[in-house]
Amino acid sequence: MTEFNKDKIKVIIADDHPLLREGIIKILSLEPKIQVVGEAEDGAQAIELARNTDVDIILMDINMPKINGIMATKIIKEEKPNVRIIALTIHNQEEYLFELIRCGISGYVLKDVRPDELIETIEKVTQGECFIPSSMTPKVFEVISQLTKRQEKNDDTFDLTPRELEVLQEVALGLSNKEIGEKLFISEKTVKNHLTNIYQKLGVTDRTQALLFAIKNNLVAPSNKDNCVGKN
């Protein structure tokens, strides 16, 4: 049984790509201040590990099976607020930044980060700092502005993000997931992730219920199309 050194920064790596996890473990194993105490291949495992492991930092992938990284972050931060989470992402996933900040991430790291930068980020976040790549600073200010405007407006959108509201409106127009992705310049998988989050926030279980709820609560404008809820 592995013994955990209380003086080291204890890290969990959550990513559904074994090769990436293995690479990060090798990098962190060379740093005497850091100890990897667990690895997860999906969001559900990450949550379970966080509940049962003495951990300081979780490196959290965003797109994972079962439970995505955003929802896993939200659950973990609610149950263990002292655990700090660093999002692992790729360049074209900036649309998630808004949701991740709201969920309480402490850092946002691109997957092409240099090993020394990754270690520096872990150390800074452990000390209570936040880390966002300088290339994304303009996006951060944009997100903060959006958060402020939403708070000032104080409208009841059931905690749906602007992107989720966009997806929901496209559903109301009768677009399929593939068509929504093409229109919003995001992947079909990303659309599915947004829909999963929408269902959870609205307390519904499928596309039809979500659309009826949205129309009833004036979250979207109803479509005149007959097939507006029939596409996947």
Side-chain angles (χ1 to χ4, degrees):
M1 184 175 180
T2 304
E3 293 185 5
F4 298 151
N5 190 324
K6 65 178 181 180
D7 297 323
K8 291 190 176 185
I9 302 169
K10 295 174 285 295
V11 177
I12 287 174
I13 301 165
D15 194 289
D16 60 337
H17 293 94
L19 202 58
L20 182 64
R21 293 199 310 271
E22 183 179 337
I24 295 176
I25 289 172
K26 286 183 178 179
I27 290 170
L28 299 185
S29 67
L30 299 175
E31 176 52 51
K33 298 178 183 177
I34 297 173
Q35 182 177 17
V36 176
V37 296
E39 54 180 304
E41 61 184 23
D42 56 58
Q45 285 187 6
I47 294 168
E48 193 64 22
L49 272 174
R51 286 171 175 163
N52 299 303
T53 307
D54 182 16
V55 58
D56 302 305
I57 300 286
I58 298 177
L59 298 177
M60 183 77 75
D61 185 23
I62 295 175
N63 287 323
M64 291 189 292
K66 296 185 179 179
I67 299 177
N68 65 38
I70 296 173
M71 189 55 61
T73 295
K74 179 178 174 61
I75 293 170
I76 292 170
K77 291 298 291 184
E78 286 176 350
E79 296 184 4
K80 301 185 74 172
N82 292 330
V83 173
R84 295 182 171 92
I85 297 177
I86 300 172
L88 286 172
T89 183
I90 56 178
H91 289 287
N92 64 355
Q93 291 180 312
E94 292 181 357
E95 70 267 18
Y96 292 122
L97 185 57
F98 185 99
E99 297 163 84
L100 289 163
I101 288 176
R102 292 186 73 248
C103 289
I105 62 163
S106 299
Y108 193 93
V109 175
L110 302 177
K111 288 188 176 181
D112 60 357
V113 65
R114 296 200 315 266
D116 60 316
E117 290 179 340
L118 177 61
I119 291 170
E120 182 183 3
T121 299
I122 291 172
E123 292 176 344
K124 285 184 176 180
V125 169
T126 301
Q127 295 165 5
E129 299 182 34
C130 293
F131 179 84
I132 302 290
S134 58
S135 62
M136 295 185 64
T137 301
K139 186 69 177 179
V140 174
F141 281 110
E142 179 186 333
V143 169
I144 292 172
S145 176
Q146 290 174 336
L147 286 167
T148 302
K149 287 177 181 178
R150 285 190 64 192
Q151 188 174 17
E152 290 175 349
K153 189 176 180 182
N154 196 29
D155 58 343
D156 192 357
T157 56
F158 298 89
D159 288 329
L160 295 180
T161 67
R163 176 64 87 181
E164 288 167 354
L165 287 169
E166 278 186 290
V167 170
L168 198 54
Q169 182 61 62
E170 301 307 326
V171 171
L173 295 176
L175 274 63
S176 67
N177 290 351
K178 182 178 180 181
E179 291 168 336
I180 294 172
E182 291 173 350
K183 185 172 181 179
L184 299 181
F185 302 103
I186 56 179
S187 69
E188 186 174 354
K189 182 178 179 181
T190 298
V191 174
K192 291 180 180 179
N193 287 337
H194 283 312
L195 287 172
T196 298
N197 291 336
I198 289 169
Y199 298 161
Q200 291 173 333
K201 290 179 180 180
L202 300 186
V204 299
T205 58
D206 58 38
R207 203 179 189 90
T208 302
Q209 290 179 15
L211 184 55
L212 293 174
F213 184 100
I215 294 173
K216 179 180 178 180
N217 291 277
N218 298 314
L219 294 175
V220 299
S223 169
N224 292 325
K225 292 184 179 182
D226 293 331
N227 63 341
C228 64
V229 297
K231 296 184 178 181
N232 294 318

